[in-house]
């Protein structure tokens, strides 16, 4: 069997519509011809994509009209316009499904990270490993991270605003090494986790509570920042506002 013959039969072969003898001949040719093998693989990929497209049932009136048709309908401009409208509606519907799935995935990922930062916060408090470097001087804490991380975390001095810096450490969140900056508010500890933001500077801020801890998440200067503490909502929000650009570093 030659390549032109296989190309003529490839759709029927892909849909298992050939008799056994023809199918065997096509299969034998495809096994020795890379070009035809690629054609068959491309048809298989197309079939998988088509099966993945959402199914939309035709309205009952359309079903009745098709059943009552006794001869091929003449293709008219009105019919083409109707078909284009159906395809557009299906496309828009598919896009909405994709956006919904992506939004749910992003929400699930944020929830998982929130749980991870709380776990790291609790682990540091219970394991008595709150500091790798203990200092209230931002010019001591910030340089300490050099060579220990693949980024330089912003370190702010917030003592004048009631949130003194007390040290920092290298920690792990979501399977990656992060900077953990430790601040104090009376007897309450605030862990501020920092790492490069994968979702860019336009990511939305997030506020939530988990296992009795308050959590705040935002991005700034392409860095993801997560603050976690047993502070009340009002004071933790004050801490977050103190870290906004007008405060400086």
């Amino acid at each position: 069997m030659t390549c032109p013959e296989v190309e003529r039969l490839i759709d029927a072969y892909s849909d298992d519509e050939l008799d056994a003898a023809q199918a065997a001949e096509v299969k034998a040719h495809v096994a020795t011809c890379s070009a035809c093998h690629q054609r068959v693989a491309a048809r298989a990929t197309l079939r998988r994509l088509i099966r993945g497209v959402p199914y939309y049932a035709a309205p009952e009136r359309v079903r009745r009209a098709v059943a009552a048709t006794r001869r091929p309908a003449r293709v008219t401009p009105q019919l083409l316009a109707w078909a284009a409208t159906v395809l557009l509606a299906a496309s828009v519907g598919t896009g909405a499904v994709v956006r919904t799935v992506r939004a749910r995935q992003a929400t699930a990922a944020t929830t998982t990270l929130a749980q991870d930062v709380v776990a790291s916060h609790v682990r540091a408090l219970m394991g008595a490993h709150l500091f790798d470097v203990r200092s209230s001087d931002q010019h001591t804490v910030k340089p300490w991270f050099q060579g220990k991380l693949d980024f330089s975390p912003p370190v702010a001095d917030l003592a004048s605003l009631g949130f003194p810096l007390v040290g920092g450490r290298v920690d792990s969140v979501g399977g990656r090494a992060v900077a953990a900056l430790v601040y104090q508010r009376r007897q309450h500890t605030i862990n501020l986790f920092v790492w490069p933001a994968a979702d860019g500077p336009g990511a939305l801020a997030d506020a939530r509570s988990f296992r009795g801890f308050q959590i705040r998440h935002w991005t700034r200067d392409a860095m993801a920042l997560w603050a976690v503490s047993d502070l009340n909502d009002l004071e933790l929000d004050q801490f977050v506002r103190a870290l906004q650009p007008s405060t400086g570093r």
Side-chain angles (χ1 to χ4, degrees), residues 164-242:
L165 174 71
V166 290
R169 69 183 182 279
V170 173
D171 210 319
S172 176
V173 174
R176 73 153 294 153
V178 304
L181 305 175
V182 186
Y183 291 86
Q184 205 77 30
R185 178 73 161 182
R186 298 184 303 278
Q187 301 303 313
H188 302 276
T189 297
I190 306 170
N191 267 299
L192 177 65
F193 298 94
V194 184
W195 66 86
D199 44 10
L204 295 177
D206 182 80
R208 66 179 70 202
S209 61
F210 179 67
R211 289 169 53 183
F213 295 98
Q214 301 301 323
I215 308 165
R216 299 294 184 271
H217 165 50
W218 71 103
T219 60
R220 173 187 167 189
D221 299 334
M223 289 287 174
L225 297 97
W226 290 78
V228 56
S229 178
D230 61 350
L231 270 175
N232 59 65
D233 279 337
L234 178 62
E235 290 183 292
L236 191 57
D237 286 339
Q238 289 174 348
F239 173 76
V240 171
R241 287 195 296 271

Side-chain angles (χ1 to χ4, degrees), residues 152-165:
S152 178
V155 180
D157 180 2
L158 304 179
S160 63
L161 300 173
F163 300 96
L165 174 71

Side-chain angles (χ1 to χ4, degrees), residues 26-220:
V26 173
K27 183 176 181 179
H29 177 86
V30 168
T32 60
C33 177
S34 60
C36 290
H37 178 79
Q38 291 177 359
R39 292 190 182 98
V40 171
R43 291 299 196 285
T45 299
L46 179 60
R47 291 176 67 190
R48 286 194 297 270
L49 290 173
I50 292 174
R51 285 197 296 268
V53 173
Y55 174 76
Y56 298 92
E60 185 58 34
R61 60 184 180 79
V62 175
R63 294 174 181 268
R64 290 197 299 268
V66 171
T69 301
R70 296 185 179 180
R71 58 185 178 81
R74 183 172 62 89
V75 178
T76 64
Q78 292 80 7
L79 182 59
L80 290 175
W82 180 83
T85 301
V86 171
L87 288 174
L88 179 60
S91 176
V92 171
T94 302
V97 170
V98 170
R99 288 191 295 273
T100 299
V101 169
R102 288 177 177 173
R104 289 178 179 175
Q105 290 174 338
T107 299
T110 300
T111 298
T112 298
L113 281 176
Q115 294 171 353
D116 283 350
V117 298
V118 169
S120 295
H121 176 76
V122 172
R123 185 171 60 246
L125 294 176
M126 294 181 63
H129 182 208
L130 195 56
F131 307 103
D132 286 331
V133 54
R134 186 162 190 166
S135 174
S136 60
D137 183 359
Q138 68 185 115
H139 301 295
T140 298
V141 175
K142 184 177 178 66
W144 180 87
F145 286 102
Q146 293 180 5
K148 300 176 178 66
L149 295 170
D150 59 357
F151 63 95
S152 178
V155 180
D157 180 2
L158 304 179
S160 63
L161 300 173
F163 300 96
L165 174 71
V166 290
R169 69 183 182 279
V170 173
D171 210 319
S172 176
V173 174
R176 73 153 294 153
V178 304
L181 305 175
V182 186
Y183 291 86
Q184 205 77 30
R185 178 73 161 182
R186 298 184 303 278
Q187 301 303 313
H188 302 276
T189 297
I190 306 170
N191 267 299
L192 177 65
F193 298 94
V194 184
W195 66 86
D199 44 10
L204 295 177
D206 182 80
R208 66 179 70 202
S209 61
F210 179 67
R211 289 169 53 183
F213 295 98
Q214 301 301 323
I215 308 165
R216 299 294 184 271
H217 165 50
W218 71 103
T219 60
R220 173 187 167 189

